[in-house]
Amino acid sequence: MTSNATTDLPTQAKIVIVGGGIVGCSIAYHLAKLGETDVVLLEQGQLSGGTTWHAAGLVGQLRATHNLTRLAKYGAELYETLEAETGQATGFRRTGSMSVARTAARTEELRRGMAMAACFGVEMHEISLQEAQTKIPLMAVDDLDSAFFIPGDGMTNPTDTTQALARGARRGGVRVVEGVKVERIERSRSRPSAVITNKGRIACEQVVLAGGLWTRELARSLGVAVPLHAAEHMYVVTRPIEGVVRNQPVLRDPDGYLYVKEEVGGLVLGGFEPNAKPWGRRTDVPDDFVFQLLPEDWDQFEPFMTNGLQRLPCMETAQIRQLLVGPESFTPDNAYCLGAAPGWQGLYIAAGFNSVGIASAAGAGKALAEWIVAGAAQMDLADIDIRRFHGWEWNNTYLADRVTETVGTLYAMHWPYRQMETGRGLRRSPLHEALKADGACFGQVAGWERPNWFARPGQKPEYAYTYGRPNWFENHRAEHMAVREACALFDMASYGKLLVQGRDAEKLLSRLCANTVAVEPGRIVYTQMLNPRGGIEADLTVMRLDADRFWVIPPCASTRRDRAWIEDHIQDGEHVFVADVTSGVGAFSVMGPNAVALLEQVSGETLDNARCPFGHWTELEIGFATVRAARITYVGERGFELYMPSEMVAHAYEKVREAGADHGLKLAGYHTLDSCRIEKAYRHWGHDIGPDDTPLEAGLGFAVRSEAAYIGRDAIERQRQEGVARVMRQFRLEDPAEHLYHDEAIWHEGQLVGRITSGNYGHALGAAVGMGYVPKHLEDAENFVIQIGNRMVPAQASRRPLYDPKSERVRG
C-alpha cells in the first residue's frame, strides 16, 4: 500500500496523537480544522493497518442515546462530503439500512426505537414486508414479523476514508509519520512532557492515545484504566451473486445476529454472536500486527451461516471468496472511551470502539478535538467519558470474561433493566449475603452487586425480561408502597463517598458548587457542580463534617468521574486532598412514615425536627455501632441515611431489622428507589440532567446561589436574564397498563416536542410516571401524548411533583 506520509520525526510538537487508525486520523483532521497546526500523528505501522482496515464499514446513525446519535449523524454527514473536500475517494454510499424482526418482541423494540429516532432527529419508517423484499430482492420474508428502514444510513471504505481524513489533516498542517512506535510517555507533574519513540524523542504539551488494541497497555503504564479486550469479529465475502442489487440497503437481522451489505455485486455477511471468542491477553498483541488477519474459524462462524441461509437462501450456492477474521476491541459496557484521562492534565484517550468505530470516528474526532482546544468538553459526552471506569476494570480475566457477552449485546434484545451475566460478583456490600438470603435479585452498577428487587418465598429472584408488565411487578409494588405507607430499608454500600479535606477544602468546594457549602458542621447541602456553559457536571450532596473536612456523596456510577472533576480543579498552592472512602464507609437508609419511630426505638434517642431537621446530620448509637445519621431523602419520604465503618454495617443492620417488624419495615431494591424518586420528580444525573442541561432548565434553580462566584455562574445569570428555552415537566400516563422507561416521544397537538428522560411505574400514583423537557411556551400546557412503540397514550402533565408537591412528608 502506498503512502505519502511524512517520514522525518520532529523533536517537538504541541500535540502528539498516537495511532493512525480512522479515529486518530479523525482527531488530527478536526484539530487542523480548529486551527491547530503544531500536531504530529504517529503510527507504528501503516495508516489503518490495525483494526480499521478490516472493519465492515457500516455507517449507522441511530445509537443508544441522544448524544451518541448526534456524533454518529455527524459522521454520515462528513463522510458524504469528504471526498469532494480532499480529493481522496472514500467509497461512501448512502444506501439506507433495514432492520427486520423475527418476533413480536423485536418488533416492539424496533417500534420503540423508531419513536426514539424521531426524538433524535433520525428518519426511520416501518415498512411492509413486501416493500422490504423489493429493496432486497433475495431476502426471505416469510418468517418475519416486521421491517424498518432508515434512509440516511450507509457504508464507506474504512481504509480510503482514513486516508481522506489523513489527507485533510496534512493539508491543515498536521504532520503524519508512519513506522514509528511510541515506547513510553514522560511526564512533568500531572502533564505529559515528551513522547519517547523508537526513532527519537518528541517534546510535547498534550498527548492523545488512539492506538486501538495497543492503547490499553500504554495507558496502563501511565496509571490510566482503559478497559478493553479484543474479540474475533468475522464475516464472509462472496463473489458476485445474480439478483443482488447495487447499493441495496444494509440489512440487519438482529434476531439472527446478522448484518449483510452489498459489495461489488456480492455480499458481505457477518454479525455479533451471543458467545463471542476473546482474542489475546494484554501481552499477546504484537507490534507488527499490521494488515494481518486471524486464522479462519468456521465452527465459530456456523451460527451466522445457518441464520444467513435462512434470511438469504442464495448463500447456499454463493461462492465464498474469503472468511475474514480480525480482532476488534470491546469495553465492558459497549460504549467507547473518550476524553481526558483522570489524574492528568493534557492526556486524552480515544479507544475501544466496540465494532462501531467507522460510524463513530468522525463525531468522536470532532468532539475530542474541541475538548482539547477548549480545555473542556463542548457537549455531553458522559456516556463515553473514560472517567466512568475504575482502576479494577483493567483486570484481564474480568475483561476476557465480559467480552464474550458484550459482543452479542450489540444485536441482543435491549430489554428494560437487562443485566449483564458475565464479570459478576466482584464488588459486594457487607450485607450481600443477608440480602441474598432474603430473596434479593441483584443488578450491577460500576461492578457493585446491588439488590434491584426482592423475591417472595418460593419465587426465583430472576428476571423474565419484557417491555410490558414484568414478573417482579407485584414485588415492586409492595416495596414501593412500604416506602409510602410504612418504611423500607435500602442498601447504600455502592453510593460514592469522597472525603475532601484540607485548609482549602471549603474554598475549592465553594468554587465548584452552585449552592452554598460554606455552612456550619452538621449541615447537608444538595448541589450541582457546573461547567462554564452552566451545564450540570455533577449532582450530589455535600456533608460538612468540621472546619476542614467534607463528605461529598455522588451517585455510584459517577463516583470516579466526580472525583476527577474535583481534583482537576485544585489550583496550584491549594492545600486540599480528595480520597475515595467508598469501600471503607458502609451505609443503608431507612425511609418512610415509620422510619423515625423505628430509629428512635433502636437508638433510644429522639429524632424530631429540633434534634435533626431536614438537611442536617447527627450521630446515633445503634447497638454497639456509632453511626452518622443524615436527614436527607431521594424517595420523597422522611427518613435517614446511616453511615458507618463497613465492618459495622452488618451489626447495625441486624438491630434495625430486629426492631423493624413492629414498624412494617420491608427490604426494598433500586427499582423502588428509582420509582419513588420519579414519583417525587427528583432528577437523576445521566438521564434527566447532565452537562448539556442547566439547573434553571431542570427546575433546580432553588439549589443555585447568585451572590458569589462559582464555575458556571456567568452562564446561569445570563440565562436568568434571558430566560430558558425549555423546561422539565413530569408526566403520568392515563392508561395504567402502559410502562415508561426512557426516550419515549412526547407529542403535543400533533407536534413532537420532547422525549421522556426517565420513567418508571408510580405505584402510589397508580400509573407509569416519567419526566422530560418541553419548550418553555408549553410549561403550562395540557393534552400531551406519549408515544410508546406505535401507541399514542394520553398523559397528565405537571410542573410540580405529582406526589407530595409541597414536600410536607419530607419535612414533617
Side-chain angles (χ1 to χ4, degrees):
M1 179 172 293
T2 60
S3 172
N4 61 348
T6 304
T7 56
D8 58 319
L9 194 69
T11 59
Q12 63 180 25
K14 180 181 179 182
I15 304 170
V16 175
I17 301 170
V18 182
I22 193 169
V23 175
C25 289
S26 175
I27 297 166
Y29 169 89
H30 286 94
L31 283 171
K33 287 288 186 182
L34 294 173
E36 292 288 346
T37 58
D38 192 10
V39 180
V40 175
L41 183 149
L42 303 177
E43 164 56 44
Q44 67 180 4
Q46 294 174 267
L47 295 184
S48 78
T51 297
T52 297
W53 75 276
H54 61 71
L58 308 184
V59 183
Q61 300 172 91
L62 185 60
R63 292 289 178 258
T65 69
H66 180 229
N67 291 311
L68 293 183
T69 299
R70 288 170 61 189
L71 297 179
K73 283 181 62 182
Y74 169 76
E77 295 164 1
L78 176 64
Y79 296 160
E80 193 166 36
T81 62
L82 196 57
E83 181 174 343
E85 176 192 341
T86 65
Q88 165 69 50
T90 63
F92 178 77
R93 296 177 280 160
R94 274 197 193 266
T95 60
S97 72
M98 183 188 304
S99 295
V100 298
R102 302 188 183 202
T103 66
R106 182 71 71 174
T107 294
E108 175 69 7
E109 176 188 87
L110 291 171
R111 284 175 177 162
R112 286 175 176 261
M114 185 170 63
M116 184 174 72
C119 297
F120 296 173
V122 174
E123 183 182 355
M124 182 176 178
H125 309 284
E126 183 171 359
I127 61 176
S128 69
L129 296 180
Q130 181 180 3
E131 185 179 355
Q133 194 169 47
T134 300
K135 292 180 181 295
I136 306 178
L138 297 181
M139 179 176 63
V141 300
D142 292 347
D143 64 326
L144 294 178
D145 191 70
S146 62
F148 297 77
F149 184 61
I150 300 179
D153 285 355
M155 63 181 76
T156 198
N157 182 298
T159 299
D160 290 346
T161 304
T162 302
Q163 292 290 347
L165 290 166
R167 179 176 291 187
R170 292 189 202 98
R171 287 183 176 180
V174 174
R175 186 173 295 187
V176 178
V177 187
E178 296 177 307
V180 177
K181 178 190 175 184
V182 173
E183 296 178 337
R184 70 180 190 278
I185 295 170
E186 293 181 350
R187 70 186 295 173
S188 175
R189 301 183 69 179
S190 63
R191 302 193 66 90
S193 57
V195 171
I196 309 303
T197 79
N198 60 341
K199 301 291 181 65
R201 180 180 186 272
I202 306 175
C204 61
E205 300 174 18
Q206 296 168 301
V207 174
V208 182
L209 302 185
L213 302 173
W214 292 269
T215 300
R216 176 181 162 198
E217 289 312 301
L218 187 54
R220 186 187 183 98
S221 69
L222 303 172
V224 178
V226 183
L228 56 87
H229 198 291
E232 296 187 13
H233 179 224
M234 53 194 71
Y235 58 81
V236 293
V237 183
T238 76
R239 299 191 183 281
I241 300 172
E242 185 177 354
V244 170
V245 176
R246 178 65 174 164
N247 290 333
Q248 68 184 28
V250 172
L251 171 64
R252 293 183 176 88
D253 179 3
D255 293 314
Y257 328 130
L258 300 174
Y259 64 78
V260 183
K261 72 168 187 172
E262 178 269 332
E263 185 168 290
V264 197
L267 296 175
V268 171
L269 184 150
F272 302 99
E273 68 271 43
N275 188 21
K277 184 180 179 183
W279 179 76
R281 297 180 70 84
R282 62 174 181 261
T283 57
D284 294 341
V285 185
D287 294 336
D288 61 353
F289 194 83
V290 180
F291 292 111
Q292 293 186 38
L293 295 173
L294 303 176
E296 294 182 347
D297 187 341
W298 286 99
D299 290 337
Q300 185 72 14
F301 192 77
E302 190 276 333
F304 299 129
M305 185 58 74
T306 299
N307 291 328
L309 286 170
Q310 183 178 356
R311 186 60 46 233
L312 293 159
C314 65
M315 290 296 295
E316 186 171 0
T317 57
Q319 292 183 312
I320 303 298
R321 184 158 58 88
Q322 183 183 18
L323 172 59
L324 188 147
V325 184
E328 295 195 6
S329 55
F330 291 79
T331 61
D333 62 1
N334 250 340
Y336 52 92
C337 302
L338 198 78
W344 285 76
Q345 299 289 327
L347 179 67
Y348 300 89
I349 308 294
F353 277 78
N354 305 283
S355 280
V356 296
I358 306 305
S360 304
K366 180 177 184 292
L368 189 59
E370 291 172 346
W371 191 331
I372 293 168
V373 172
Q378 299 302 290
M379 62 173 287
D380 183 354
L381 298 173
D383 299 322
I384 48 179
D385 194 328
I386 180 64
R387 295 171 295 178
R388 72 188 186 275
F389 288 120
H390 303 73
W392 64 268
E393 285 161 305
W394 64 25
N395 178 281
N396 193 81
T397 303
Y398 163 76
L399 291 171
D401 187 45
R402 175 56 65 87
V403 78
T404 63
E405 183 180 9
T406 50
V407 173
T409 60
L410 288 170
Y411 279 7
M413 285 290 298
H414 298 93
W415 296 113
Y417 309 115
R418 184 189 183 279
Q419 302 297 321
M420 300 296 282
E421 298 177 3
T422 55
R424 296 292 297 269
L426 177 62
R427 305 180 79 184
R428 307 183 194 184
S429 161
L431 301 178
H432 180 87
E433 291 304 315
L435 300 177
K436 180 179 179 181
D438 272 316
C441 181
F442 292 97
Q444 188 186 63
V445 175
W448 282 98
E449 296 294 328
R450 312 199 310 177
N452 279 345
W453 57 277
F454 287 84
R456 300 183 299 272
Q459 179 186 14
K460 289 185 177 181
E462 298 175 357
Y463 284 93
Y465 294 119
T466 178
Y467 278 102
R469 185 143 296 183
N471 63 312
W472 43 270
F473 182 80
E474 290 302 323
N475 308 69
H476 179 212
R477 188 188 70 81
E479 295 174 24
H480 185 109
M481 296 312 297
V483 178
R484 296 291 184 233
E485 298 174 348
C487 57
L489 186 151
F490 297 91
D491 180 26
M492 293 180 57
S494 63
Y495 271 55
K497 297 99 179 174
L498 302 177
L499 176 61
V500 182
Q501 60 184 335
R503 66 169 180 263
D504 294 315
E506 180 186 302
K507 178 182 176 182
L508 170 65
L509 291 176
S510 293
R511 190 167 64 245
L512 290 177
C513 295
N515 207 347
T516 301
V517 295
V519 295
E520 294 297 317
R523 288 285 306 279
I524 306 170
V525 178
Y526 169 62
T527 185
Q528 291 81 44
M529 294 182 180
L530 310 182
N531 56 44
R533 297 177 288 120
I536 301 171
E537 291 288 340
D539 182 70
L540 34 77
T541 54
V542 176
M543 300 171 60
R544 185 155 203 172
L545 306 185
D546 52 39
D548 296 336
R549 293 190 306 146
F550 296 80
W551 267 1
V552 174
I553 312 296
C556 169
S558 61
T559 300
R560 184 65 186 92
R561 187 181 188 278
D562 291 351
R563 177 184 178 182
W565 183 263
I566 296 171
E567 290 178 329
D568 286 348
H569 288 86
I570 298 175
Q571 297 177 354
D572 290 343
E574 286 189 326
H575 187 270
V576 57
F577 308 92
V578 183
D580 186 346
V581 297
T582 304
S583 297
V585 178
F588 60 87
S589 66
V590 182
M591 296 288 164
N594 298 347
V596 171
L598 169 57
L599 293 177
E600 286 181 334
Q601 178 179 332
V602 296
S603 68
E605 301 186 43
T606 300
L607 291 173
D608 56 16
N609 286 335
R611 163 73 184 277
C612 190
F614 185 78
H616 290 69
W617 63 266
T618 187
E619 285 192 346
L620 293 178
E621 291 184 359
I622 298 179
F624 304 141
T626 300
V627 307
R628 183 171 286 122
R631 177 88 182 274
I632 196 80
T633 182
Y634 194 47
V635 297
E637 300 291 344
R638 189 176 178 185
F640 286 85
E641 297 176 356
L642 306 174
Y643 296 89
M644 67 210 80
S646 289
E647 66 270 22
M648 300 180 184
V649 170
H651 172 76
Y653 167 82
E654 289 164 0
K655 296 298 181 183
V656 172
R657 284 297 305 273
E658 181 180 338
D662 297 334
H663 302 273
L665 180 68
K666 191 172 185 64
L667 296 178
Y670 278 81
H671 292 332
T672 294
L673 188 78
D674 186 61
S675 61
C676 287
R677 70 96 186 164
I678 289 177
E679 271 194 337
K680 192 64 177 67
Y682 288 155
R683 281 54 165 162
H684 182 276
W685 192 89
H687 285 93
D688 309 306
I689 52 177
D692 287 344
D693 311 306
T694 73
L696 302 186
E697 294 168 335
L700 299 174
F702 66 87
V704 178
R705 57 192 160 136
S706 58
E707 74 281 0
Y710 58 88
I711 294 174
R713 180 182 182 275
D714 290 346
I716 294 299
E717 293 306 308
R718 185 167 55 251
Q719 196 173 65
R720 286 190 198 275
Q721 296 173 7
E722 298 174 357
V724 297
R726 60 193 183 122
V727 294
M728 174 72 78
R729 296 200 70 181
Q730 188 183 34
F731 299 89
R732 174 188 175 275
L733 297 184
E734 293 185 6
D735 184 349
E738 293 283 3
H739 291 256
L740 287 174
Y741 302 108
H742 57 81
D743 292 320
E744 294 87 358
I746 304 171
W747 295 80
H748 182 262
E749 296 184 352
Q751 298 295 316
L752 178 63
V753 297
R755 62 186 175 88
I756 295 295
T757 52
S758 67
N760 206 319
Y761 204 90
H763 291 279
L765 295 175
V769 183
M771 290 183 284
Y773 294 94
V774 300
K776 177 69 164 61
H777 71 273
L778 295 177
E779 66 176 339
D780 294 315
E782 299 179 356
N783 302 319
F784 285 94
V785 174
I786 311 298
Q787 183 178 354
I788 302 176
N790 62 345
R791 303 176 300 283
M792 307 299 281
V793 184
Q796 174 191 1
S798 178
R799 294 177 60 187
R800 304 184 69 184
L802 290 168
Y803 181 81
D804 188 24
K806 296 182 180 180
S807 293
E808 295 170 333
R809 298 173 67 87
V810 172
R811 300 177 181 274

